[in-house]
Amino acid sequence: MNSRPKKHSLTLRGHRTSVSLEDEFWSAFRAIATEEGRAINELAAEIDEARGTDCGLASAIRLYVLRHLQQRQSLQ
């Protein structure tokens, strides 16, 4: 695993922004959005709103992906 963060564009509530995520996190994030039947921008906006000022959007997305996968694992 030698993935460096890459910039990805998102639109949050009508405003364009970019986040730098490793391909693995981006793929997992897109898969979660698809699984939940949601647009990736919608999910990112929700995460952005909930994150407060403690961390950046990229970190908040990584934590969301991690928690989602941990929750899924605990259900098995």
Side-chain angles (χ1 to χ4, degrees), residues 4 7 12-13 19 22 24-25 34 36 42 44 52-54 56 59-61 65-66 68 70-71 73:
R4 297 185 61 150
K7 286 195 178 209
L12 307 179
R13 292 175 212 82
V19 294
E22 297 79 6
E24 294 84 356
F25 277 103
T34 299
E36 294 180 359
E42 174 190 355
T53 59
D54 292 343
S59 294
I61 291 172
V65 168
L66 175 63
H68 181 86
Q70 287 173 328
Q71 182 180 27
Q73 186 177 20

Side-chain angles (χ1 to χ4, degrees), residues 23-56:
D23 286 339
E24 294 84 356
F25 277 103
W26 186 253
S27 293
F29 185 52
R30 289 185 71 79
I32 291 167
T34 299
E35 175 184 307
E36 294 180 359
R38 302 172 71 188
I40 197 157
N41 289 325
E42 174 190 355
L43 184 53
E46 181 181 301
I47 292 167
D48 184 48
E49 189 172 299
R51 73 182 166 95
T53 59
D54 292 343
C55 67

